[in-house]
Amino acid sequence: MHVTPADPADLRADCARCFALCCVALPFARSADFAIDKDAGTACRNLRDDFRCGVHAELRQRGFPGCTVYDCFGAGQKVSQVTFGGRDWRSGGPEHARRMFDVFPVVRQLHELLRYMTEALTLPAARPVHGELRRILAKTERLTRQTPEELGQLDVAAHRQEVNVLLLRASELARSGSGRRTRDRRGADLIGARLKGADLRGAGLRGAYLIAADLTGADLRGADLIGADLRDADLTDADLTGALFLTQPQINAARGSAGTRLPESVARPGHWAARR
């Protein structure tokens, strides 16, 4: 059976079709990312009756930059419109709301995996694993459409591990095809690292901690950045052309400039210009 990659539009948040699940289901603590504490299952104080954020245009100025870097990868509208058939958590009663809030993080993880697999299927060098990727992509899509009860019992960690084996292999094939490999820094502690002008072409930076790292002018072409923490990393004039598995939330959490070169899969954040 031929399975095509997911439509990228289905893997991007569509807040107009979601019942603000990220603003209610998820907890956050007062910090540099959030101005207040909020428990899971409690609506954010900024949430309006129409499920819209009352301070959306001023989130950073009001102390909520964490909201601007979050992405559900389309899980919000899937849970709202498909899993629960368009019935919102306010009108469905406490038990209905609890089930929505429990399911949302599960589907969010599955949609994140769909996002990575869809990208891996565009990598010509990863063709040897495309067949397996298509199979597990189809399986993952089916899982996202299960009932709330089935989703609640799903072992997401086990499924993620199954997918990660293929994503790692796709990354290795793509990076070896570039003709250049650097030392694997998977999960490395590079917090605040001085990497200005570093040649990191084809580097394995999966899950690396690059918080506040100086990557000014660094060459990250073809680097694997899946799960890398780029919060407050300085990407001024860096080249991330062809970077693998780079997501919009990662870019939104970093600092950059007009000279930062990005893959077509992500957009230049509006707040970057304001930090110049």
Side-chain angles (χ1 to χ4, degrees), residues 98-169:
R98 184 193 64 76
R99 291 166 68 206
M100 287 192 85
F101 302 155
D102 287 346
V103 164
F104 173 61
V106 175
V107 178
R108 194 267 182 193
Q109 289 191 65
L110 295 175
H111 267 238
E112 182 181 14
L113 293 175
L114 287 173
R115 157 69 174 78
Y116 293 141
M117 286 186 282
T118 299
E119 178 177 336
L121 286 169
T122 69
L123 303 174
R127 191 172 301 278
V129 295
H130 279 185
E132 292 178 88
L133 280 167
R134 289 192 181 95
R135 175 189 60 79
I136 200 165
L137 183 149
K139 175 183 176 181
T140 306
E141 174 59 28
R142 287 194 299 270
L143 290 175
T144 70
R145 295 179 179 276
Q146 290 189 122
T147 66
E149 292 75 21
E150 291 170 327
L151 285 165
Q153 297 174 9
L154 179 64
D155 187 342
V156 184
H159 184 70
R160 178 180 285 274
Q161 180 57 35
E162 184 180 1
V163 174
N164 277 339
V165 170
L166 292 175
L167 292 177
L168 179 58
R169 181 58 181 149

Side-chain angles (χ1 to χ4, degrees), residues 36-267:
I36 59 173
D37 293 318
K38 190 192 81 63
D39 294 331
T42 301
C44 175
R45 70 184 186 189
N46 296 315
L47 185 64
R48 304 186 318 202
D49 291 340
D50 62 356
F51 301 108
R52 299 293 177 266
C53 175
V55 297
H56 187 268
E58 302 176 326
L59 282 168
R60 287 184 173 273
Q61 298 92 315
R62 289 176 176 261
F64 293 89
C67 297
T68 70
V69 303
Y70 179 79
D71 191 340
C72 72
F73 298 102
Q77 63 259 31
K78 174 70 72 65
V79 172
S80 297
Q81 303 301 329
V82 178
T83 313
F84 290 91
R87 190 181 186 193
D88 68 74
W89 50 270
R90 281 185 174 137
S91 62
E95 180 59 22
H96 173 80
R98 184 193 64 76
R99 291 166 68 206
M100 287 192 85
F101 302 155
D102 287 346
V103 164
F104 173 61
V106 175
V107 178
R108 194 267 182 193
Q109 289 191 65
L110 295 175
H111 267 238
E112 182 181 14
L113 293 175
L114 287 173
R115 157 69 174 78
Y116 293 141
M117 286 186 282
T118 299
E119 178 177 336
L121 286 169
T122 69
L123 303 174
R127 191 172 301 278
V129 295
H130 279 185
E132 292 178 88
L133 280 167
R134 289 192 181 95
R135 175 189 60 79
I136 200 165
L137 183 149
K139 175 183 176 181
T140 306
E141 174 59 28
R142 287 194 299 270
L143 290 175
T144 70
R145 295 179 179 276
Q146 290 189 122
T147 66
E149 292 75 21
E150 291 170 327
L151 285 165
Q153 297 174 9
L154 179 64
D155 187 342
V156 184
H159 184 70
R160 178 180 285 274
Q161 180 57 35
E162 184 180 1
V163 174
N164 277 339
V165 170
L166 292 175
L167 292 177
L168 179 58
R169 181 58 181 149
S171 170
E172 291 171 341
L173 289 167
R175 290 184 295 124
S176 63
S178 69
R180 187 183 188 283
R181 292 287 294 276
T182 61
R183 188 157 64 97
D184 190 353
R185 304 301 301 274
R186 191 189 324 178
D189 183 352
L190 298 171
I191 298 174
R194 297 177 180 177
L195 297 168
K196 183 175 182 178
D199 186 351
L200 296 169
R201 286 176 291 168
L205 292 167
R206 296 167 61 89
Y209 296 93
L210 288 158
I211 302 168
D214 182 4
L215 290 161
T216 303
D219 191 342
L220 289 150
R221 286 178 290 175
D224 183 349
L225 291 166
I226 193 169
D229 194 335
L230 294 172
R231 282 178 293 168
D232 209 35
D234 192 347
L235 298 175
T236 299
D237 298 333
D239 190 349
L240 292 95
T241 305
L244 303 176
F245 308 121
L246 181 67
T247 65
Q248 195 65 50
Q250 288 173 297
I251 289 297
N252 289 349
R255 293 179 287 137
S257 67
T260 304
R261 281 157 285 185
L262 298 170
E264 293 182 359
S265 59
V266 296

